[in-house]
Amino acid sequence: MKRIFGIIALALGMSSCNGIFSGLYDVVEPDAMPFGFKEINEDDHSGTIFIDARDYEKWTYINLEDKTADTANMVHGDAEPQKWHFAIHRYDVKTHDGSARQTDFTTFDELKASGDYENGVFTTDTLSKVIVDMSGMMSGQLVYHDSEVNKVLSRWLKVDTSVMPPIYTMSGKVYILRMDDGMLAALLFTDYMNESSVKGYITIRYIYPL
Amino acid sequence: MKILRFHTIFLFIIVLFSVESGFAQNPKREADSLEVYVPEEMKMLETVVITATRTPKLLKDVPMVTRVIEARDIKNVDVANVQDLLQTELPGIEFTYSMNQQVSLNMQGFDGNSVLFLVDGERLAGETLDNVDYSRLGLDDVERIEIVKGAASSLYGSNAVGGVVNVISRQLDVPWLLNINARYGTHNDQHYGGTIGFQKGRFENTLNAQYVSCDAIKLPNDGDYGTVYAHQSLNARERLTYSYNGLKLTGRAGYFFRERESQQTSHDRYRDFSGGLKGEYEFSDKDDIMMSYAFDQYDKSNYSLTSHKDVRSYSNVQNSLRALYNHCFTKKTTLTVGGDFMHDYLMTYQFLNNGSHEQNTADAFAQFDWAVTGKFNVLAALRYDYYSLSDLSHLSPKLSLMYKLKRLSIRASYADGFRAPTLKEMFMSFDMANIFMIYGNPNLKPESSNNLNVAAEYTRNSYNITVMGFYNMVNNSITTVWNAALNGMVYENMSPLAISGVDCSASANWDFGLKVRLSYVYTNVNYHENELHLSSTRPHSATARFEYGKRWHDYGFNLALTGRILSSVTCDEYTSLTDLTETQRVTYPGYTIWKLTLLQHVWRGLDISATVDNIFNYVPDYYYSNSPATTGTSFYVGLSVAVDKLFSSQDIPESP
């Protein structure tokens, strides 16, 4: 009996009004994944960019040379930064007078081993419409804004809205971005969510210059 | 690896430290005194049930119609999970998908949050889109499942509006047992289970574990969803019981883990930790008391495949204390009084800043069961519930009458049902993908219902026919309504609706081994103050089971053909969530699915099953959320080894 009551006391002690085994989970601090450039490797010119692209009104402009990421509100008419290479709006991508192609490679190692950087068709941006206000979606009133979009780069994520919830499928392919000055960058989009699985946070691995 | 390591540690802990366990409302004591011979086909009516009255009572004497699904039924129809079982055995029950393939129940017009699911009399913490996690209800170690249709809030409080489903664990009736089973089928559907138990002196222990997995299922036609997510789950439960001189102490611990491969870069994870301690004591032949403490924690987390971080987004923790006292004034009158106290804590991503809310609930209830004569039984009950955060209280009365006339039993009951607003419904503040907000409403009133049931049951030899009419007037149903000022959805109480219908079943068992059970339910959901037909409840549904079995000394077989037939349903749906002026009429097609199972008892304790599901190869033209997620005919094989019976000289006959 003594053992039984000991076990009862242990069991009662184990329980808690707010739960047990919280240590089982990872805790993501708000600043644990700072936005911008990180994991920069100067030797092979690679790094990772993590951005918050949840705001439908904003483009996030990436400058691979200066390693900056700046946002501008297109609805408010904010001016673009003077120098940038590509930009992200939700899952849309555009270039700064550049062009892009999708490779068959899924890793930078495969790309570098092939040396196949410029073979293939590079596609420039085209004028398109991007959604800037989803709040009227339930009444069928989405608000769009004219903007340049690179259709090839934007293939990194397919969002199938024909079913609910939408199905998100990443291509997993390496993309080659050719700047207006002829410089090349390799881009690999690796996630569209943050560590808490909130959508609209984008992780991009890059090599620049390639 | 972190998960596997934790599973191992947790299983080790519960094996080492569990105290005894059992079922609070253990009918064994009652059953022991009922060792009278009855024909096989009449045994069901002699089954001791617990759910309808919270006291052990013979099924035939319960004044509310109670449906019992026994372990052998589960084995004979070879079902994968509790959803499959309930749909196979009971018409009017439909499990469908809601958003993001979350499982949603409709039981004769009532949603999942209006049907109370219990495991050994205990509530389940946690919900997703108003439904508990039905995956937690493993079938490996089940003695029987009791289903009481109709309101039962006078005994069980909130959520017992449309009915109560109580899953009752198996009690050991042998010195030891060891069962190992496996099932494999289409889509790499795998199920492995094991149970080990022993009785030694005053101790009894049972440990059960189940593992289930299934690959993703790519559906062949268009639909509301294109692929059924791959999933896996682990469910382990440990119970230890100590009995001495009228005292019975029970301890239990459980761990549940489920993972859905819902996203390319992240998986949904669901965990539950449960435990409980219970003491039961018989003062005399006339008095017994039970006191218990129950802990249940249900967590949800997102596991990122890129960062390998497992981040919790939801945790519901319920700590409950309960007391129950029975006093028999005479053999004809029993008074049951009891009370519960529960602390309910909820943290969720749907609260502002991933915050939390908590509240205390308390209740007291009394039930008087009076056998006025040998033929006439009256049962009256009253319960008072109080919720601290909303300062909300509710009284739930109930009156049931039963009159027996030779082979005919007439039952009639009035019962109040209610459902208190949940913490989620009161305090939600959720940004739905930057599209709109969903807000809670602290001023919600509780849902309530007035339930009337009248049933006639005719039993003669091996034939049984039951017809039940039911009527429910439901007030203040809680749902979300578009609020233009807030540009979002807000939880509100709805105008009244009536749910009524007829529930019929007929069964027959013949000595040469044939058993037939046919059931049919008609359900009508009528929204007052609204001419639209907004319910997608199917008006007609039926189930059928035909079994033929034979048993020789070392070999036996049972061939079961089961089917479910669901009518189409036409309903009105709003074309916009923000403008409730336009609707469109939608018809969801009816369908029928049949399953054939051959169970062979090959030798002592060795059973082999083979199942062909969806034998007529039904494939939906379009996969609506309420279409069956089938790709056509599927096949399953299973093996069950009762190791204890391999070593037993007596091979206890089971069905067939």
Side-chain angles (χ1 to χ4, degrees):
Chain A
M1 287 298 288
K2 191 178 285 186
R3 178 169 179 264
I4 291 171
F5 284 114
I7 295 169
I8 292 171
L10 177 63
L12 283 169
M14 283 172 63
S15 68
S16 159
C17 286
N18 296 350
I20 56 177
F21 296 130
S22 58
L24 183 65
Y25 303 98
D26 296 299
V27 177
V28 179
E29 301 295 341
D31 56 353
M33 269 184 87
F35 302 121
F37 285 70
K38 59 180 187 173
E39 300 167 0
I40 298 168
N41 186 332
E42 299 291 357
D43 295 335
D44 63 1
H45 315 296
S46 69
T48 300
I49 310 163
F50 179 60
I51 62 170
D52 176 0
R54 288 176 298 163
D55 193 330
Y56 280 84
E57 295 185 352
K58 292 178 180 175
W59 281 97
T60 302
Y61 293 91
I62 311 293
N63 183 334
L64 292 168
E65 188 173 331
D66 297 337
K67 297 180 178 51
T68 58
D70 298 310
T71 59
N73 190 307
M74 71 182 105
V75 176
H76 296 166
D78 291 352
E80 296 176 354
Q82 282 194 334
K83 189 175 179 182
W84 57 279
H85 296 115
F86 71 101
I88 307 283
H89 162 262
R90 289 295 291 182
Y91 310 124
D92 306 313
V93 187
K94 69 178 180 181
T95 72
H96 194 184
D97 298 328
S99 57
R101 78 177 181 94
Q102 178 179 297
T103 72
D104 291 331
F105 306 115
T106 56
T107 66
F108 287 156
D109 289 342
E110 292 173 356
L111 174 72
K112 287 191 285 190
S114 73
D116 178 17
Y117 299 158
E118 295 202 72
N119 288 334
V121 177
F122 281 76
T123 302
T124 57
D125 295 4
T126 53
L127 187 61
S128 185
K129 289 182 183 296
V130 296
I131 298 171
V132 293
D133 187 355
M134 289 284 287
S135 61
M137 180 182 177
M138 305 317 295
S139 55
Q141 295 175 335
L142 297 176
V143 181
Y144 294 88
H145 196 276
D146 290 340
S147 181
E148 297 281 332
V149 169
N150 189 288
K151 300 289 187 187
V152 171
L153 275 178
S154 299
R155 277 189 216 153
W156 74 274
L157 183 70
K158 177 185 175 187
V159 183
D160 179 3
T161 56
S162 66
V163 294
M164 286 302 288
I167 298 172
Y168 295 76
T169 309
M170 291 192 298
S171 70
K173 304 293 187 184
V174 174
Y175 294 84
I176 306 294
L177 170 63
R178 185 160 61 195
M179 324 297 182
D180 58 345
D181 60 2
M183 296 288 283
L184 297 178
L187 303 176
L188 179 59
F189 297 82
T190 58
D191 210 342
Y192 55 95
M193 296 188 287
N194 68 1
E195 291 178 330
S196 300
S197 295
V198 178
K199 297 181 180 66
Y201 292 89
I202 298 173
T203 306
I204 311 157
R205 292 184 56 219
Y206 72 90
I207 299 176
Y208 176 82
L210 186 60
Chain B
M1 288 304 291
K2 191 173 182 180
I3 291 304
L4 288 174
R5 191 166 62 245
F6 179 78
H7 289 164
T8 308
I9 293 169
F10 193 88
L11 282 171
F12 184 68
I13 289 171
I14 61 177
V15 170
L16 272 183
F17 292 106
S18 292
V19 200
E20 43 185 295
S21 97
F23 178 41
Q25 302 129 337
N26 186 354
K28 190 177 177 184
R29 173 172 58 112
E30 189 79 10
D32 287 345
S33 62
L34 297 170
E35 290 178 355
V36 291
Y37 174 78
V38 289
E40 176 71 25
E41 57 274 12
M42 296 296 289
K43 278 185 178 174
M44 182 65 80
L45 290 175
E46 302 295 335
T47 302
V48 177
V49 295
I50 190 83
T51 307
T53 60
R54 284 183 91 152
T55 54
K57 202 171 174 76
L58 292 178
L59 180 59
K60 66 181 181 183
D61 293 333
V62 174
M64 285 75 68
V65 174
T66 302
R67 175 80 164 89
V68 178
I69 303 172
E70 296 191 310
R72 60 180 175 177
D73 298 323
I74 299 170
K75 198 170 182 177
N76 285 347
V77 297
D78 186 37
V79 289
N81 50 49
V82 74
Q83 300 102 290
D84 199 6
L85 174 69
L86 293 176
Q87 290 185 138
T88 300
E89 292 291 303
L90 296 167
I93 288 189
E94 188 176 14
F95 287 92
T96 62
Y97 281 146
S98 53
M99 191 173 65
N100 200 19
Q101 292 182 30
Q102 299 293 350
V103 177
S104 182
L105 167 69
N106 185 314
M107 184 167 124
Q108 293 179 198
F110 289 98
D111 297 332
N113 56 16
S114 296
V115 179
L116 181 63
F117 277 77
L118 306 170
V119 175
D120 292 336
E122 299 291 348
R123 287 171 174 269
L124 304 177
E127 59 83 37
T128 301
L129 297 177
D130 300 332
N131 285 262
V132 297
D133 191 337
Y134 303 106
S135 307
R136 290 178 57 190
L137 306 173
L139 296 177
D140 242 24
D141 191 33
V142 170
E143 182 170 296
R144 67 185 186 279
I145 298 175
E146 298 179 11
I147 301 105
V148 180
K149 293 180 179 176
S153 291
S154 62
L155 284 181
Y156 293 101
S158 183
N159 300 89
V161 181
V164 178
V165 178
N166 193 0
V167 180
I168 296 170
S169 303
R170 178 165 56 182
Q171 302 294 299
L172 270 183
D173 54 2
V174 291
W176 68 280
L177 68 82
L178 172 61
N179 177 274
I180 301 167
N181 61 76
R183 183 177 186 266
Y184 181 80
T186 306
H187 305 301
N188 198 24
D189 191 334
Q190 300 181 56
H191 178 124
Y192 305 100
T195 304
I196 183 168
F198 69 85
Q199 283 181 322
K200 182 75 174 174
R202 295 164 183 161
F203 289 93
E204 177 184 318
N205 187 81
T206 305
L207 171 64
N208 170 260
Q210 298 170 64
Y211 173 79
V212 175
S213 71
C214 188
D215 289 350
I217 303 172
K218 177 70 178 170
L219 301 174
N221 297 325
D222 291 342
D224 296 342
Y225 55 103
T227 302
V228 179
Y229 302 141
H231 62 87
Q232 58 174 321
S233 64
L234 173 70
N235 204 341
R237 295 198 300 164
E238 159 70 19
R239 289 172 300 154
L240 183 62
T241 304
Y242 174 84
S243 303
Y244 178 69
N245 202 21
L247 173 68
K248 183 177 179 183
L249 294 174
T250 297
R252 61 183 170 86
Y255 173 63
F256 167 79
F257 172 79
R258 180 164 68 95
E259 181 166 309
R260 295 196 320 163
E261 299 179 9
S262 57
Q263 299 279 344
Q264 194 178 10
T265 59
S266 89
H267 291 175
D268 302 333
R269 286 181 167 176
Y270 308 85
R271 291 181 180 83
D272 187 84
F273 314 98
S274 61
L277 297 163
K278 183 187 303 179
E280 296 163 274
Y281 185 65
E282 290 179 42
F283 296 99
S284 65
D285 291 343
K286 294 183 176 180
D287 298 274
D288 64 79
I289 190 168
M290 182 280 293
M291 298 185 76
S292 71
Y293 163 73
F295 173 83
D296 196 11
Q297 174 180 339
Y298 185 78
D299 293 349
K300 304 179 198 176
S301 65
N302 300 107
Y303 177 68
S304 169
L305 298 178
T306 50
S307 67
H308 302 290
K309 289 191 174 176
D310 192 5
V311 180
R312 181 163 57 173
S313 59
Y314 174 103
S315 185
N316 182 208
V317 184
Q318 295 181 348
N319 285 274
S320 306
L321 289 170
R322 175 175 303 148
L324 186 73
Y325 171 71
N326 287 309
H327 175 73
C328 299
F329 293 99
T330 67
K331 288 184 177 179
K332 294 181 177 180
T333 53
T334 302
L335 175 67
T336 301
V337 294
D340 304 81
F341 172 84
M342 183 174 79
H343 182 81
D344 190 14
Y345 165 86
L346 178 63
M347 178 281 290
T348 172
Y349 63 97
Q350 294 179 318
F351 287 160
L352 189 65
N353 299 323
N354 292 348
S356 64
H357 292 277
E358 50 197 297
Q359 72 171 336
N360 297 316
T361 70
D363 66 75
F365 58 88
Q367 174 185 267
F368 190 67
D369 188 355
W370 181 24
V372 183
T373 68
K375 295 179 178 178
F376 185 46
N377 193 102
V378 178
L379 185 143
L382 185 66
R383 172 166 165 145
Y384 175 79
D385 283 86
Y386 177 74
Y387 288 76
S388 65
L389 207 52
S390 52
D391 195 26
L392 180 156
S393 60
H394 190 85
L395 264 180
S396 306
K398 178 172 189 170
L399 177 65
S400 298
L401 309 171
M402 184 170 78
Y403 188 75
K404 291 180 181 176
L405 191 65
K406 292 186 178 178
R407 299 182 179 94
L408 183 68
S409 297
I410 305 292
R411 295 174 170 92
S413 68
Y414 161 77
D416 178 276
F418 94 101
R419 185 176 79 79
T422 62
L423 291 171
K424 181 188 80 173
E425 290 165 340
M426 288 194 291
F427 300 107
M428 181 184 278
S429 178
F430 179 54
D431 185 347
M432 188 78 175
N434 280 3
I435 300 172
F436 60 86
M437 292 291 294
I438 305 176
Y439 296 103
N441 180 354
N443 300 314
L444 286 171
K445 298 171 185 171
E447 288 184 10
S448 63
S449 77
N450 292 295
N451 168 233
L452 289 170
N453 285 343
V454 178
E457 181 180 25
Y458 179 80
T459 306
R460 180 171 186 174
N461 300 327
S462 57
Y463 305 96
N464 179 281
I465 297 173
T466 303
V467 179
M468 181 173 80
F470 58 89
Y471 178 83
N472 300 275
M473 175 58 76
V474 183
N475 293 302
N476 296 319
S477 290
I478 298 170
T479 189
T480 50
V481 177
W482 183 259
N483 185 310
L486 295 172
N487 191 37
M489 308 288 287
V490 180
Y491 280 97
E492 297 285 359
N493 291 110
M494 285 175 63
S495 54
L497 69 141
I499 301 174
S500 56
V502 179
D503 188 336
C504 314
S505 68
S507 63
N509 303 330
W510 288 275
D511 290 339
F512 61 90
L514 180 65
K515 300 177 186 177
V516 176
R517 182 179 182 87
L518 304 171
S519 304
Y520 164 79
V521 165
Y522 167 73
T523 307
N524 177 48
V525 181
N526 181 27
Y527 287 81
H528 290 239
E529 303 173 12
N530 196 334
E531 294 179 355
L532 298 172
H533 186 83
L534 297 170
S535 172
S536 59
T537 302
R538 298 178 190 274
H540 307 280
S541 65
T543 57
R545 176 151 56 97
F546 304 91
E547 282 186 66
Y548 179 71
K550 281 286 185 185
R551 180 66 181 256
W552 292 272
H553 183 258
D554 273 337
Y555 177 79
F557 74 90
N558 191 81
L559 187 65
L561 175 67
T562 56
R564 52 194 300 255
I565 305 151
L566 289 86
S567 72
S568 63
V569 57
T570 299
C571 55
D572 299 308
E573 294 183 351
Y574 292 111
T575 54
S576 167
L577 283 178
T578 59
D579 181 4
L580 305 185
T581 57
E582 288 189 24
T583 60
Q584 60 182 354
R585 183 144 287 196
V586 180
T587 297
Y588 295 104
Y591 66 91
T592 180
I593 285 188
W594 292 78
K595 181 165 71 174
L596 187 65
T597 299
L598 175 62
L599 175 67
Q600 294 185 83
H601 179 78
V602 180
W603 193 58
R604 291 177 185 172
L606 190 62
D607 293 342
I608 298 173
S609 65
T611 298
V612 184
D613 197 4
N614 193 1
I615 55 179
F616 299 117
N617 196 32
Y618 171 73
V619 179
D621 295 328
Y622 183 92
Y623 286 89
Y624 294 101
S625 59
N626 61 356
S627 300
T630 177
T631 56
T633 304
S634 54
F635 304 90
Y636 303 89
V637 292
L639 173 67
S640 173
V641 183
V643 177
D644 52 308
K645 291 181 181 174
L646 295 178
F647 297 98
S648 171
S649 57
Q650 287 185 326
D651 190 4
I652 300 168
E654 290 182 357
S655 175

